[in-house]
Amino acid sequence: MESHKAKRVTLADVAEASGMSKAAVSMILNNKPGSRLSAEATERVRGVAKELGYRPNAAAQSLRSGKTRTLGFISDQVTVTRFASEMITGILRAAESREHTVLIAETFGKPEQMAEAIKQMAHRDVDGLILGFMDSRQRDLKIPQTGLPTVLVNGIDDSPCTAVLPNENESGAKAVRHVVESGARSVAVIGELGSAEKDPRTYPSITRRFGSLRRSLSEANLEVLGHWVLDDWNPTDGYQATTQMLSEGYKPEAIICANDRVAMGVFQALAEEGLTPGADLSVLSFDDEIIASYLRPQLSSIRLPYEEMGALAVDLLLEGSLEPGEHQIDMPLIERDSMKRN
Amino acid sequence: MESHKAKRVTLADVAEASGMSKAAVSMILNNKPGSRLSAEATERVRGVAKELGYRPNAAAQSLRSGKTRTLGFISDQVTVTRFASEMITGILRAAESREHTVLIAETFGKPEQMAEAIKQMAHRDVDGLILGFMDSRQRDLKIPQTGLPTVLVNGIDDSPCTAVLPNENESGAKAVRHVVESGARSVAVIGELGSAEKDPRTYPSITRRFGSLRRSLSEANLEVLGHWVLDDWNPTDGYQATTQMLSEGYKPEAIICANDRVAMGVFQALAEEGLTPGADLSVLSFDDEIIASYLRPQLSSIRLPYEEMGALAVDLLLEGSLEPGEHQIDMPLIERDSMKRN
DNA sequence: CGAAAGCGCTCAGCTAGATTG
DNA sequence: GCAATCTAGCTGAGCGCTTTC
């Protein structure tokens, strides 16, 4: 008679069924080096294990070994943009290839929940911790000092730590170069953020993006028709700025937008004036959100490489090379149809 | 002399430091009912635990208790739309309020990886499993029979199981009602999917959405100016269908779009003809993706309630009420500015 | 290749002393 | 004065696994 509860198969069951000791079975199933077990026994144990449907108990393994083969990912917000999703994908891919699983938590945009989330992860004894910041405006991360190996993604902190960031220090230069190569002679920049640059720590990405842009613009052989400063980066903002620019008589051959959402607004304003990106003028943007490919024509954009960033964070954690410092990842230019070839 | 490795504080340490037994400390820290320990002792133990920075070892607890307080979430794809993110958010919120953490995995769109992912979760002994399907076209889920309590979100399977779905059986009716109430006399439906309805199991949502639409349309006092069947649901498809419709001379007072991406294309085509949604005619859509609020004017849409779906899945799992069957969640109408008031 | 010792924790069961009838 | 009952806590076994010896 079987017991009522289909008890889970344990190492001991396999050992008994195969006439071996638990130790031997353990060694075989983990193919430990240094063990000299007969091929015949190895074969037999493997067979029995499979037949019985043996599955090691992770809790027991962790308890014994002190390693959980688990990574923790805490996001300030699993937002609505593609960014969180791609970061998760990158993390999952990298973690899987190293045979780790990932625990996920979110602070729901409330910084004070960070400590709680980290405590949860510590309780779970994750082997490493990834802190992802979607809303990169956040400041004063208040990262509790656990002993956990930690890497920040898309965020920086005052305390020395390992961080992975997009290479915004080059992104503006890349944009300008692309515009120059397209043959445009004049350019307008739409979307500089009014408050953003007051505190570089608050908006590191934004500050760097525009810093790079401005430096490159001043060196390039381009007539700069002005910067339009916005309060926010939504389509409406881009729409209004563009409408105003057009009404003031400016006719730039190229427009560089702060991001794709403002570019969407730019497209709308342009359309109302009968202007078509890619044909009448060039539009280039940053981020490469999903809407970039929805626009007509499709928008060329300099991509935020979140998936790569997530993957790198995992590699850093599992490679053990955690000296404090920044790792910058190239932002690739995604060429689509919004640039006019002159 | 302290040992070199700052050994982690265990229950035994707290017990010793407070002059109690491990059992007593365990009871106190877990405030077990039925135990009658002096208030004084309770106080003292709590104090010592905090002072020492005691943190229970989750692996040991799991091993002993057989419960991991962990839920597994496997997604077929952590896509680029808002859906996966919202589902995760819902799951995280619900799980947190019940003091569970969540392990996440993805099949990267490869159905054959589902078995592997589930095995991972089983190995980790999750207390429950949530299978999320973003790409609801998937068929033949091939869910390995683990003994794990499982709920499907946005997917159905041949085997009897608990599933959470959006209430698409009413979504079409809701749309038609809203159009009728707006005072429109004629309507066009853009975006019926050619292949979708051949197999209701393959696209349950789509099939139901259009089933509901068609039933309601036939009962409503509306002139139906035709259904435009599309191959896919991207902006380009909506754009082309609308352009063609307009060129054939149709002038519906309202357009119902299969989803927001299609609606985006519809907006583009309308704009080219000088037609403004909300002023010249009504446009209503489904899903309420992020782009719905980016469009000009903002798009009214019947929302896919992914966050609620995720949360319900958790509740179901943790409540233990897992009879096979479907739980349908209302799809709320998000009113914005694309409906013309007649 | 086996025996045995735990990893840190929880749970059922026990006990020593204080209070009652 | 003594058995019965409480009070307040302790003991020990063992979860399933890995790792000396």
Side-chain angles (χ1 to χ4, degrees):
Chain A
M1 263 283 152
E2 294 283 342
S3 91
H4 295 284
K5 323 217 121 220
K7 279 280 297 158
R8 186 160 151 173
V9 181
T10 76
L11 192 68
D13 298 332
V14 178
E16 187 175 4
S18 59
M20 297 264 114
S21 69
K22 295 194 300 174
V25 174
S26 174
M27 315 227 76
I28 290 173
L29 261 23
N30 297 313
N31 37 245
K32 276 280 147 142
S35 61
R36 17 345 72 116
L37 299 174
S38 74
E40 185 266 326
T42 302
E43 194 80 0
R44 180 157 39 91
V45 167
R46 290 240 167 77
V48 171
K50 181 166 298 174
E51 188 178 341
L52 260 41
Y54 170 67
R55 208 158 13 82
N57 178 316
Q61 288 178 311
S62 301
L63 180 56
R64 190 63 240 251
S65 65
K67 297 246 139 272
T68 55
R69 303 198 76 73
T70 298
L71 259 24
F73 173 56
I74 303 176
S75 170
D76 61 345
Q77 221 170 337
V78 175
T79 39
V80 114
T81 60
R82 71 166 174 87
F83 305 127
S85 299
E86 290 203 356
M87 199 154 129
I88 293 174
T89 297
I91 290 172
L92 252 23
R93 249 184 236 283
E96 186 186 345
S97 77
R98 293 165 176 285
E99 296 182 300
H100 280 244
T101 48
V102 1
L103 269 176
I104 186 170
E106 179 176 352
T107 66
F108 304 104
K110 306 201 194 74
E112 66 274 16
Q113 285 211 28
M114 178 59 87
E116 182 55 37
I118 291 182
K119 205 191 301 173
Q120 270 298 324
M121 294 299 182
H123 172 211
R124 245 63 189 197
D125 269 302
V126 295
D127 293 340
L129 194 53
I130 297 172
L131 268 27
F133 298 92
M134 304 304 140
D135 179 4
S136 58
R137 314 181 177 198
Q138 191 159 324
R139 200 64 273 302
D140 198 13
L141 307 179
K142 282 275 177 33
I143 303 168
Q145 270 317 101
T146 55
L148 288 175
T150 301
V151 4
L152 306 194
V153 182
N154 206 39
I156 55 177
D157 191 58
D158 291 331
S159 65
C161 50
T162 311
V164 177
L165 296 157
N167 189 355
E168 291 279 14
N169 289 318
E170 293 301 327
S171 63
K174 208 169 221 177
V176 171
R177 200 179 317 129
H178 192 52
V179 166
V180 168
E181 285 170 359
S182 79
R185 307 290 314 280
S186 63
V187 66
V189 176
I190 292 191
E192 198 144 345
L193 226 43
S195 56
E197 303 178 71
K198 308 241 169 72
D199 183 356
R201 297 177 316 167
T202 311
Y203 302 75
S205 282
I206 299 178
T207 310
R208 292 176 184 181
R209 181 177 296 180
F210 278 98
S212 171
L213 243 186
R214 223 184 283 111
R215 281 195 305 278
S216 307
L217 244 22
S218 70
E219 295 167 3
N221 186 21
L222 278 174
E223 182 187 6
V224 181
L225 295 183
H227 292 257
W228 268 262
V229 177
L230 306 180
D231 288 334
D232 211 339
W233 275 0
N234 286 318
T236 305
D237 304 298
Y239 174 83
Q240 287 166 349
T242 308
T243 302
Q244 187 188 335
M245 177 183 81
L246 259 21
S247 76
E248 289 174 6
Y250 291 105
K251 292 279 181 198
E253 289 179 31
I255 297 177
I256 295 179
C257 305
N259 75 357
D260 299 333
R261 297 203 303 283
V262 345
M264 183 170 176
V266 170
F267 269 47
Q268 291 163 342
L270 254 20
E272 288 185 2
E273 297 298 316
L275 261 20
T276 304
D280 301 315
L281 81 176
S282 290
V283 178
L284 180 59
S285 174
F286 294 91
D287 287 7
D288 192 31
E289 276 194 65
I290 183 75
I291 53 166
S293 65
Y294 288 168
L295 293 174
R296 293 187 68 81
Q298 299 196 348
L299 176 65
S300 292
S301 193
I302 295 178
R303 181 178 179 86
L304 242 19
Y306 274 59
E307 181 168 342
E308 290 84 346
M309 288 161 62
L312 179 58
V314 172
D315 291 345
L316 254 20
L317 237 28
L318 266 25
E319 219 76 302
S321 47
L322 286 177
E323 302 95 48
E326 275 187 27
H327 297 257
Q328 305 215 0
I329 298 202
D330 182 56
M331 297 175 61
L333 166 66
I334 309 298
E335 292 196 58
R336 283 191 274 251
D337 313 316
S338 62
M339 296 295 290
K340 177 183 179 191
R341 289 275 142 204
N342 293 291
Chain B
M1 263 283 149
E2 295 283 342
S3 89
H4 296 283
K5 323 219 121 221
K7 277 280 296 160
R8 185 160 153 173
V9 181
T10 76
L11 191 68
D13 298 330
V14 178
E16 187 174 5
S18 60
M20 295 267 114
S21 71
K22 293 193 303 173
V25 173
S26 174
M27 313 226 79
I28 289 173
L29 262 23
N30 296 315
N31 37 244
K32 272 283 143 128
S35 64
R36 45 292 115 101
L37 298 178
S38 72
E40 186 264 328
T42 302
E43 193 82 0
R44 180 158 38 91
V45 166
R46 289 241 170 76
V48 171
K50 182 167 297 175
E51 188 179 339
L52 261 41
Y54 171 66
R55 208 158 13 81
N57 179 317
Q61 289 179 310
S62 301
L63 179 56
R64 188 63 242 252
S65 66
K67 297 249 139 268
T68 55
R69 303 197 75 73
T70 298
L71 260 24
F73 171 56
I74 302 175
S75 170
D76 61 343
Q77 220 170 335
V78 175
T79 38
V80 115
T81 62
R82 71 167 174 86
F83 305 128
S85 298
E86 291 203 355
M87 197 154 132
I88 293 175
T89 298
I91 290 172
L92 251 23
R93 251 185 233 284
E96 186 186 348
S97 75
R98 293 163 174 285
E99 297 181 298
H100 279 243
T101 48
V102 1
L103 269 175
I104 187 171
E106 179 177 353
T107 66
F108 305 102
K110 305 201 194 77
E112 67 274 16
Q113 285 210 29
M114 179 58 87
E116 181 56 35
I118 291 182
K119 205 190 300 173
Q120 270 298 322
M121 294 298 181
H123 172 211
R124 245 64 188 196
D125 268 302
V126 295
D127 293 339
L129 194 53
I130 297 173
L131 268 24
F133 299 92
M134 304 304 139
D135 179 4
S136 58
R137 314 184 177 193
Q138 192 158 322
R139 198 65 275 301
D140 197 13
L141 307 179
K142 282 273 175 37
I143 302 169
Q145 268 319 98
T146 55
L148 288 175
T150 300
V151 6
L152 306 193
V153 182
N154 205 40
I156 55 177
D157 192 57
D158 292 330
S159 64
C161 49
T162 310
V164 177
L165 295 159
N167 189 355
E168 292 279 15
N169 289 317
E170 293 302 326
S171 63
K174 207 169 221 177
V176 171
R177 201 179 317 128
H178 191 53
V179 166
V180 168
E181 285 169 359
S182 80
R185 307 291 316 278
S186 62
V187 65
V189 175
I190 292 192
E192 197 143 347
L193 228 42
S195 56
E197 303 179 69
K198 308 241 170 73
D199 183 357
R201 298 177 316 165
T202 310
Y203 302 76
S205 282
I206 299 177
T207 310
R208 293 174 184 183
R209 178 177 296 180
F210 278 98
S212 171
L213 245 186
R214 222 184 285 112
R215 281 194 305 278
S216 308
L217 245 21
S218 69
E219 294 165 4
N221 188 21
L222 278 173
E223 182 188 4
V224 180
L225 295 184
H227 293 256
W228 269 263
V229 177
L230 306 182
D231 289 333
D232 211 338
W233 276 2
N234 285 317
T236 304
D237 305 298
Y239 175 83
Q240 288 166 351
T242 307
T243 301
Q244 188 188 335
M245 178 183 79
L246 261 21
S247 77
E248 289 174 6
Y250 291 105
K251 291 278 181 197
E253 289 179 31
I255 297 177
I256 295 179
C257 306
N259 76 357
D260 300 333
R261 296 203 304 282
V262 170
M264 182 168 177
V266 171
F267 270 46
Q268 291 161 342
L270 253 23
E272 288 185 2
E273 297 298 317
L275 261 19
T276 304
D280 302 316
L281 80 174
S282 290
V283 178
L284 180 59
S285 173
F286 295 91
D287 287 7
D288 190 33
E289 275 193 67
I290 183 73
I291 53 166
S293 64
Y294 288 168
L295 293 175
R296 292 187 70 81
Q298 297 195 349
L299 175 66
S300 291
S301 193
I302 295 178
R303 181 178 179 87
L304 242 18
Y306 274 59
E307 183 169 341
E308 291 83 348
M309 288 161 63
L312 179 59
V314 172
D315 291 346
L316 254 20
L317 236 29
L318 265 25
E319 220 75 303
S321 48
L322 285 177
E323 302 92 51
E326 275 188 26
H327 297 257
Q328 304 213 359
I329 298 203
D330 180 58
M331 296 175 62
L333 168 65
I334 308 299
E335 292 196 57
R336 284 192 274 250
D337 313 317
S338 62
M339 296 296 291
K340 178 185 180 190
R341 289 276 142 203
N342 293 292

